[in-house]
């Protein structure tokens, strides 16, 4: 590691204590950028990376709400407005008890590079709350969302900052948030994405992240002259991203044999298809947060407290959450002959796991490249809202597919150009960085 990168990482750690996920995300990116910073001293002298690790703005606020029994609760809300060099801040909202400032900063940082890769004009942001949706009624979720938006609305707007969903925030939450934004501002606008189809949402947005992951993985497999047809696939998570990925793998002739939840994983040797994919949506909507329900219903083995990486598969698609795949899991996947790991979640593989995959030279893609289809389709939703014209399903899907192919090509070409051929990590970090860095140089000291 160069002295410059070493010092930068040390500075980030000292200045942002107790934010290990943020340190991890910065470390991965900074290592990839060493070559770029050597070749282009202008980025160093303009302190571009030093600026990029500092959010443009952080909003943190109190979210009081009342449960169905009349008890008062207080949660904490956040919005990290990380970088607006290439467009309005864009990125999801996460509602999960594990949410902290550090988690959202890592997600916002990753989002800057991801959004840049999509080729659409979107800056990076992320937000959310430590609210736990598990076991809450619709009315409780609605009251929470209304309270959350009562503060957030003054910081966002269709040309300022456009939030969307992430863990714990789906169509229902976006609906409640949008309703409250509209009441407060008296404006019907494209301020959120992931909206309902009847009121400005885009076809394919629900499926987009998962479909995009599989389109990206398909391109990776093509580089080895193969495809999903006949492949066995492990998916983790059972939420929005996992659901879209399972459906698309199945359509392409692959067989998904696992999904997982916070309670463990299920191993369905016959493959998750047909009504079983539909059942994933029911499990998610039940707010029970248990994947064991699937095992009980379809009479397949359930492994309590375990992750799915010990199952013998050709392809692994981690789609649950950050740091759900460590060095040991990575070695186990390799040992069982896994040839491709394509991330659907944000930063699901820890730094040791990433190194294991890179040293083994298997096909490995970081979430910021392979899960960009979700935010890319959010960008397409913004375009449709601005035009006030909805596009047919086929058109959105075709554009999504093309965007994923382009990101794949950009990653490989950039990695090649900067001397690390085949590294999707370096390709994604460098290509994502260059566009934002050049825009920052153009715009002066911002
Ligand atoms: P959902 O809320 O729909 O699903 C998240 C799933 O992961 C849930 O099943 C959740 O259960 C589970 N999960 C969380 N923590 C763990 C854990 N430690 N072990 C196993 N399962 C766990 O969220 P999404 O599908 O939207 O998000 C999944 C991932 O994809 C996240 O990393 C997100 O940032 C990323 N992503 C999402 C995009 C989108 O458009 N939705 C776009 C790009 C990336 P539980 O909540 O109980 O822990
Ligand atoms: O991590 C992500 O890219 C998302 N949660 C989607 C963000 C968006 O604005 O659609």
């Amino acid at each position: 590691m160069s002295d410059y990168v070493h010092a930068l990482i040390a500075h980030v750690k000292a200045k942002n204590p107790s934010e290990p996920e943020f340190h991890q995300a910065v470390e991965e990116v900074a290592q990839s950028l060493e070559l770029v910073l050597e070749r282009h001293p202008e980025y160093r002298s303009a302190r571009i990376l030093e600026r990029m690790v500092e959010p443009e703005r952080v909003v943190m606020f109190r979210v009081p709400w009342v449960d169905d029994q009349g008890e008062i609760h207080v949660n904490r809300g956040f919005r990290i407005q990380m970088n607006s060099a290439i467009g309005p801040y864009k990125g999801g909202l996460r509602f999960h008890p594990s949410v902290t400032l550090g988690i959202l900063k890592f997600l916002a940082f990753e989002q800057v590079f991801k959004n840049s890769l999509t080729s659409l004009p979107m800056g990076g942001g992320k937000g959310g709350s430590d609210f736990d949706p598990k076991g809450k009624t619709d009315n409780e979720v609605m009251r929470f969302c209304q309270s959350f938006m009562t503060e957030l609305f003054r910081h966002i707007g269709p040309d300022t900052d456009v939030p969307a969903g992430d863990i714990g925030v789906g169509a229902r939450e976006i609906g409640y948030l949008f309703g409250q934004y509209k009441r407060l501002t008296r404006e019907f606008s494209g301020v959120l994405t992931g909206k309902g189809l009847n009121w400005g949402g885009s076809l394919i947005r629900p499926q987009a992240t998962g479909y995009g992951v599989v389109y990206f993985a398909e391109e990776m497999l093509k580089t080895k002259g193969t495809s999903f047809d006949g492949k066995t696939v492990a998916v983790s998570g059972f939420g929005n991203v996992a659901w879209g990925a399972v459906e698309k793998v199945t359509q392409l002739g692959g067989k998904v044999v696992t999904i997982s939840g916070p309670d463990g994983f299920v191993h369905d040797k016959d493959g998750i298809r047909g009504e079983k994919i539909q059942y994933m949506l029911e499990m998610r909507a039940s707010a029970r947060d248990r994947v064991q329900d699937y095992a009980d219903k379809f009479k397949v083995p359930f492994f309590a407290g375990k992750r799915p990486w010990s199952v013998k598969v050709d392809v692994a698609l981690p789609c649950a959450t950050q740091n759900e795949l460590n060095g040991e899991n990575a070695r186990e996947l390799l040992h069982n002959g896994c040839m491709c790991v394509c991330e659907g979640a944000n930063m699901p593989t820890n730094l040791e796991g990433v190194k294991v995959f890179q040293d083994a030279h298997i096909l490995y893609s970081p979430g910021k490249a392979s899960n960009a289809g979700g935010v890319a389709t959010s960008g397409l939703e913004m375009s449709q809202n601005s035009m006030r014209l909805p596009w047919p399903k086929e058109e959105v899907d075709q554009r999504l597919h093309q965007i994923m192919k382009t990101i794949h090509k950009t990653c490989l070409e950039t990695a090649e150009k900067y001397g690390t051929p085949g590294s999707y990590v370096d390709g994604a970090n460098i290509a994502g960085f260059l566009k934002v860095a050049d825009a920052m140089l153009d715009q002066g000291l911002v």
Side-chain angles (χ1 to χ4, degrees):
M1 201 188 292
S2 71
D3 289 350
Y4 172 76
V5 166
H6 198 270
L8 184 111
I9 294 169
H11 176 73
V12 166
K13 286 183 177 170
K15 202 170 176 187
N16 306 277
S18 332
E19 297 179 3
E21 292 83 5
F22 181 54
H23 306 164
Q24 184 183 337
V26 170
E27 198 165 330
E28 188 213 275
V29 168
Q31 284 178 8
S32 289
L33 295 180
E34 278 192 330
L35 263 172
V36 184
L37 297 169
E38 240 167 63
R39 276 194 211 174
H40 300 278
E42 66 273 22
Y43 297 132
R44 271 176 69 160
S45 56
R47 300 272 182 267
I48 293 292
L49 200 50
E50 288 85 341
R51 286 191 249 164
M52 284 176 74
V53 296
E54 199 62 39
E56 286 180 16
R57 188 175 300 102
V58 173
V59 190
M60 185 166 127
F61 50 98
R62 176 205 297 160
V63 190
W65 59 280
V66 183
D67 69 19
D68 290 349
Q69 281 69 47
E71 290 282 335
I72 293 173
H73 299 262
V74 184
N75 285 98
R76 185 171 280 178
F78 303 89
R79 185 73 183 164
I80 318 293
Q81 299 184 329
M82 200 73 186
N83 195 306
S84 62
I86 62 169
Y89 309 106
K90 180 85 194 85
L93 296 171
R94 176 176 292 193
F95 293 169
H96 196 271
S98 64
V99 162
T100 58
L101 178 63
I103 292 271
L104 295 179
K105 276 171 67 182
F106 117 65
L107 288 162
F109 184 71
E110 292 278 291
Q111 199 81 42
V112 172
F113 297 84
K114 182 194 308 194
N115 293 4
S116 165
L117 286 170
T118 65
S119 68
L120 301 174
M122 299 182 290
K126 200 87 186 187
S129 172
D130 57 359
F131 173 75
D132 187 359
K134 188 171 169 177
K136 302 288 188 299
T137 64
D138 277 356
N139 275 329
E140 288 171 336
V141 170
M142 180 181 74
R143 284 194 296 273
F144 174 81
C145 288
Q146 289 177 339
S147 182
F148 184 85
M149 186 53 87
T150 301
E151 174 56 35
L152 186 68
F153 88 97
R154 68 189 84 247
H155 308 289
I156 61 175
D159 295 313
T160 307
D161 183 353
V162 183
D166 191 78
I167 292 181
V169 178
R172 176 184 60 167
E173 290 74 19
I174 294 294
Y176 297 148
L177 291 164
F178 185 82
Q180 186 71 354
Y181 181 88
K182 192 160 54 83
R183 289 171 84 189
L184 291 165
T185 60
R186 297 179 299 130
E187 270 176 20
F188 193 110
S189 73
V191 67
L192 295 164
T193 58
K195 297 185 291 299
L197 277 183
N198 292 333
W199 43 279
S202 174
L203 286 159
I204 300 290
R205 178 63 188 90
Q207 295 89 340
T209 312
Y211 278 20
V213 173
V214 177
Y215 290 149
F216 195 96
E218 197 185 19
E219 294 303 303
M220 295 169 84
L221 292 171
K222 267 192 210 163
T223 66
K224 302 282 179 204
T226 185
S227 72
F228 269 105
D229 197 23
K231 294 271 184 310
T232 304
V233 181
V235 169
S236 64
F238 68 99
N240 172 260
V241 180
W243 164 72
V246 172
E247 184 169 279
K248 186 52 78 179
V249 168
T250 309
Q251 282 173 13
L252 295 180
K255 184 163 82 170
V256 179
V257 294
T258 68
I259 47 174
S260 71
D263 53 335
F265 81 91
V266 297
H267 186 189
D268 187 344
K269 289 199 178 84
D270 294 337
I272 301 168
R273 57 167 67 90
E275 58 154 345
K276 293 170 170 177
I277 301 178
Q278 183 59 30
Y279 186 67
M280 287 176 72
L281 292 179
E282 286 174 38
M283 262 194 311
R284 200 78 204 115
S286 77
R288 280 159 59 79
D289 222 357
R290 271 161 49 99
V291 83
Q292 192 180 352
D293 290 354
Y294 180 103
D296 294 345
K297 185 172 167 70
F298 299 111
K299 310 271 179 291
V300 299
F302 171 71
F303 297 86
K306 295 267 189 310
R307 293 166 177 164
W309 315 126
S310 56
V311 176
K312 185 172 164 48
V313 291
D314 305 304
V315 178
L317 307 176
C319 297
T321 192
Q322 65 274 353
N323 291 328
E324 52 158 325
L325 201 164
N326 60 25
E328 194 187 325
N329 303 141
R331 281 185 286 273
E332 203 163 10
L333 280 166
L334 289 181
H335 178 76
N336 284 330
C338 178
M339 66 176 298
C340 173
V341 179
C342 183
E343 295 183 347
N346 286 307
M347 211 170 72
T349 311
N350 75 2
L351 286 175
E352 192 195 346
V354 173
K355 186 160 182 334
V356 171
F357 292 142
Q358 284 183 317
D359 289 349
H361 296 289
I362 64 156
L363 297 168
Y364 165 67
S365 149
K368 62 170 79 70
S370 39
N371 75 28
V375 74
T377 308
S378 279
L380 301 178
E381 183 172 328
M382 289 166 73
S383 302
Q384 295 169 76
N385 292 164
S386 296
M387 291 189 302
R388 299 183 195 279
L389 270 181
W391 289 334
K393 190 168 86 190
E394 294 71 23
E395 178 163 1
V396 181
D397 194 22
Q398 199 185 5
R399 284 178 186 263
L400 165 65
H401 201 156
Q402 191 52 51
I403 289 171
M404 297 316 294
K405 284 183 170 180
T406 304
I407 298 175
H408 179 268
K409 188 161 172 267
T410 303
C411 287
L412 284 189
E413 283 177 0
T414 309
E416 179 87 36
K417 188 167 167 203
Y418 283 88
T420 52
S423 169
Y424 290 93
V425 174
D426 290 337
N429 287 335
I430 295 172
F433 170 81
L434 288 173
K435 185 173 171 191
V436 176
D438 289 339
M440 289 174 75
L441 285 180
D442 290 346
Q443 291 170 26
L445 199 52
V446 287

